[in-house]
Amino acid sequence: MKYYSKLIVYVLLIISLFSACGKYEEGPSFCLTTKNNRLTGKYELIKMYINDTEMDLTEDMGIISITVEYKKDGTGEKNTITQHSDITEEFEWKFDDNKDYLLERIIIDSEHTTDWITNQQIIRLARDGFWLRIVQYPEITEMHYSKIK
């Protein structure tokens, strides 16, 4: 009887450890890596939706590419190439306390940053990419990033 009690406790413990991965709306439902480790890396924006309509980044927005890199030290770099410019921004990043939102602020210079951007809800965070939902009334933007190998 003691064997079965211990087995049940171990099974419940393992389930509780892995259930934290199912936090996000779009998954994943199972993972072994931390949220920080899943986000760390370089990504490319592959899809953008505004109010559930997929946007053609080049035709609709004039964007050729957007890449973003999240570093383990809480800093990052975003590069946006449009038909008319190439913009690179350095930023700081962190998760909110519940790890539901990705917070970022742009580094202006060594002494100044912008306020934290707090409206980027994480709806998917996997080792191969992540999705954000950004609500700025009346628009809801969803951005899908894929990890660059």
Side-chain angles (χ1 to χ4, degrees), residues 90-92 104-108 112-117:
E90 293 182 358
F91 63 90
E92 295 176 331
E104 297 177 355
R105 65 180 177 187
I106 298 169
I107 299 170
I108 299 169
H112 301 91
T113 63
T114 62
D115 291 334
W116 287 102
I117 298 167

Side-chain angles (χ1 to χ4, degrees), residues 31-47:
C31 65
L32 294 173
T33 58
T34 66
K35 290 169 180 54
N36 279 9
N37 285 344
R38 279 183 275 156
L39 185 62
T40 301
K42 191 169 185 177
Y43 298 87
E44 179 178 20
L45 180 66
I46 56 169
K47 288 185 182 180

Side-chain angles (χ1 to χ4, degrees), residues 101 119-121 133-142:
Y101 287 84
N119 64 342
Q120 300 183 119
Q121 181 185 11
R133 178 179 295 132
I134 302 163
V135 178
Q136 289 180 301
Y137 185 78
E139 290 184 348
I140 299 173
T141 302
E142 193 171 295

Side-chain angles (χ1 to χ4, degrees), residues 10-36:
Y10 288 132
V11 168
L12 290 174
L13 180 64
I14 290 171
I15 289 172
S16 68
L17 288 173
F18 291 121
S19 66
C21 294
K23 177 179 189 88
Y24 302 116
E25 201 174 296
E26 298 293 334
S29 58
F30 178 80
C31 65
L32 294 173
T33 58
T34 66
K35 290 169 180 54
N36 279 9

Side-chain angles (χ1 to χ4, degrees), residues 51-69:
N51 296 330
D52 294 323
T53 301
E54 186 172 356
M55 307 305 292
D56 182 304
L57 293 175
T58 304
E59 287 186 28
D60 297 333
M61 317 272 310
I63 297 171
I64 296 170
S65 73
I66 295 178
T67 58
V68 63
E69 181 176 11

